[in-house]
């Protein structure tokens, strides 16, 4: 099953560190390592909308 999450973020330091933290947090929440950044949409100088894709396989 695939799910998409749209998350608005404001970056205060490094974009890559913020995205990694976001992925790690979502992996912990869902219990799945299949969490991917599908797209990052800039909204201004430090604001972005991140589209995450989470794949959870049911066995």
């Amino acid at each position: 099953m695939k799910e998409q999450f749209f998350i608005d973020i404001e970056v205060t330091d490094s974009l890559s560190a913020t995205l990694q933290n976001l992925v790690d947090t979502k992996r912990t929440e869902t219990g799945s390592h299949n969490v991917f950044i599908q797209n990052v949409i800039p909204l201004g100088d430090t604001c972005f909308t991140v589209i995450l894709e989470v794949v959870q396989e049911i066995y």
Side-chain angles (χ1 to χ4, degrees), residues 1-19:
M1 178 173 69
K2 288 185 181 180
E3 291 183 83
Q4 285 186 332
F5 295 91
F6 292 77
I7 303 170
D8 292 326
I9 61 170
E10 186 171 351
V11 177
T12 56
D13 52 349
S14 165
L15 177 60
S16 63
T18 303
L19 293 174

Side-chain angles (χ1 to χ4, degrees), residues 20-55:
Q20 184 63 52
N21 185 34
L22 188 63
V23 168
D24 291 342
T25 301
K26 190 55 76 174
R27 284 179 175 166
T28 301
E29 288 175 4
T30 61
S32 173
H33 284 323
N34 293 327
V35 176
F36 308 100
I37 295 173
Q38 188 173 17
N39 204 350
V40 178
I41 304 166
L43 300 175
D45 291 338
T46 60
C47 296
F48 300 87
T49 294
V50 179
I51 304 173
L52 288 180
E53 181 176 278
V54 178
V55 179

